[in-house]
Amino acid sequence: MKKLNGLWILMLATILMLSGCGSASGGSAQGKEAASKNIVIAEPVHLIAYLPLYAAIDEGYFKKEGLDVKTITATGGAHVTSVVSGDAWGNIGGPESNQMANNGNKDPIVSIVNVVDRANVYLMANKRLKLKGTSDQDLAAFMKGKSIAAGRYGGSPDLLTRWLLLKVGLNPNKDVKLDEPADASAVVSLVAQGKDDIANGAEPQISEGIKKDAWNEPFYGFPSLGDYAYSVISVKQSTINSQPQTVQKFVNAMIEGLKLVNSNKTEAFKILKKEFPTSSNASLKASVDRAYKDQLWSKDGFITKAAVAKPMDVVKKTGVYTKGYQYSKLVNMTFVNKANK
């Protein structure tokens, strides 16, 4: 009888264990919380601007919160679709890209913490080209008739290029030739090989282009637009609903990563060396110096209404997306507010 009772206890324990596994994948919120410790963040390209995310991983801030976070590079807009499909827990990128994917989507992508609070791209020109002034008229005369490697159609660099062309009075579809490669790193070779005259890019592409003698320092910097929600961390609304504790832990760690890069340039440089081991010290130093000069990173992770309005205005004026948005549905600052308290 004792052996029989022991057998029943063993069977019951097995059933409970299996049912617990089942709930983790699709049952209770508590089960989903437990299953969410392994987190994948999709990035559109491996950028120096994403240093706060890399810092939170490298310095163990996520580990401290009980999370195992990894990044995957998903080009061509796949950083957004990978979240929609569930292949990635979250992404880093512009809220405007999320909004375009959210149109008609019953489970929208929502931004939970700011990372890059400046439009972190610049325009560089072939060294043989000389800009005579910085007025809109000067820029229009300089860019008219040129071939511009603007990046993937619909991506932030491409949209900002189109926006600037319109601002200075040029027609992006008639007055210039827009080359729109899906791979952001391709813009260096396109200008270096003479296929394009101008490129829109960020670090480390800027320093790589200077090193390869493709161009000099940027002739125009979009960080001049001020607070601009260029790269934020976003997850699906269903993730916020079912995994609030995990989302909070993630945001807590990101805030620590932001604090580190904003206050400790020496440590930030060390982390960059790990992330970009093939880049020279001189290139990385130039990249870091540019980031601090342009006040690239958010100080507290907060995404303001004004910072979101700017990229949404860009997509509206370029005609890429004109259906509007609601800040309260596109952004959730609950977790940032709790983390900063």
Side-chain angles (χ1 to χ4, degrees):
M1 190 68 180
K2 288 182 179 180
K3 290 182 179 180
L4 187 60
N5 287 339
L7 180 60
W8 276 110
I9 292 172
L10 179 61
M11 289 175 63
L12 181 60
T14 303
I15 291 169
L16 289 173
M17 181 180 69
L18 290 173
S19 65
C21 292
S23 65
S25 61
S28 68
Q30 184 177 0
K32 289 182 180 179
E33 290 280 299
S36 65
K37 291 183 179 179
N38 294 322
I39 287 173
V40 174
I41 299 297
E43 56 181 11
V45 64
H46 202 56
L47 280 182
I48 285 172
Y50 301 159
L51 181 57
L53 173 60
Y54 307 148
I57 295 173
D58 187 79
E59 295 291 309
Y61 298 146
F62 288 120
K63 290 284 187 184
K64 182 181 177 182
E65 295 285 349
L67 306 177
D68 183 10
V69 176
K70 294 180 175 62
T71 62
I72 58 168
T73 302
T75 60
H79 68 294
V80 177
T81 57
S82 62
V83 177
V84 175
S85 66
D87 292 330
W89 185 84
N91 69 27
I92 183 167
E96 74 280 8
S97 295
N98 295 334
Q99 178 60 34
M100 287 187 274
N102 288 346
N103 187 38
N105 184 4
K106 294 182 180 179
D107 189 8
I109 303 174
V110 180
S111 302
I112 56 173
V113 60
N114 200 355
V115 182
V116 182
D117 196 37
R118 292 290 185 273
N120 175 48
V121 285
Y122 308 74
L123 291 176
M124 291 72 64
N126 187 299
K127 294 182 72 172
R128 63 181 171 78
L129 301 175
K130 303 297 179 183
L131 178 64
K132 295 181 179 180
T134 58
S135 69
D136 283 358
Q137 292 80 4
D138 292 326
L139 287 169
F142 182 69
M143 292 190 288
K144 188 173 183 178
K146 303 298 190 300
S147 178
I148 305 174
R152 173 182 63 85
Y153 176 74
S156 295
D158 178 70
L159 293 175
L160 282 164
T161 301
R162 290 172 175 271
W163 172 85
L164 180 63
L165 290 168
L166 291 168
K167 179 177 180 293
V168 301
L170 296 179
N171 186 325
N173 300 317
K174 295 180 179 180
D175 294 327
V176 300
K177 177 183 177 293
L178 289 180
D179 197 355
E180 299 171 314
D183 184 359
S185 63
V187 300
V188 178
S189 59
L190 287 171
V191 175
Q193 295 170 12
K195 294 181 179 179
D196 289 316
D197 305 303
I198 296 171
N200 189 319
E203 294 291 3
Q205 283 79 40
I206 298 172
S207 296
E208 288 174 3
I210 294 173
K211 183 178 180 181
K212 291 183 178 180
D213 210 34
W215 52 58
N216 291 317
E217 282 291 312
F219 69 85
Y220 185 88
F222 290 95
S224 61
L225 297 175
D227 289 347
Y228 190 108
Y230 189 79
S231 296
V232 297
I233 300 287
S234 307
V235 299
K236 289 192 290 189
Q237 181 62 52
S238 60
T239 300
I240 293 175
N241 295 341
S242 64
Q243 304 173 22
Q245 294 177 20
T246 301
V247 174
Q248 186 64 64
K249 290 176 180 179
F250 184 94
V251 171
N252 292 345
M254 277 305 307
I255 297 298
E256 293 303 311
L258 287 167
K259 288 179 180 178
L260 174 73
V261 299
N262 276 305
S263 63
N264 194 331
K265 190 174 181 179
T266 301
E267 189 63 26
F269 187 82
K270 290 180 182 178
I271 297 168
L272 272 186
K273 282 292 294 179
K274 293 181 182 179
E275 289 294 326
F276 299 90
T278 60
S279 297
S280 68
N281 284 346
S283 293
L284 290 178
K285 184 180 183 304
S287 300
V288 170
D289 289 344
R290 191 187 310 280
Y292 284 105
K293 176 179 176 293
D294 290 338
Q295 299 179 28
L296 190 64
W297 297 296
S298 169
K299 299 288 192 301
D300 57 8
F302 197 87
I303 307 169
T304 67
K305 290 182 178 180
V308 173
K310 289 177 183 177
M312 293 308 302
D313 183 60
V314 167
V315 294
K316 180 181 179 180
K317 288 184 176 176
T318 54
V320 174
Y321 182 82
T322 59
K323 296 183 179 180
Y325 73 102
Q326 292 184 42
Y327 172 85
S328 60
K329 292 185 177 181
L330 190 57
V331 174
N332 185 330
M333 288 291 91
T334 302
F335 304 98
V336 166
N337 288 332
K338 288 182 179 178
N340 284 321
K341 285 181 180 179

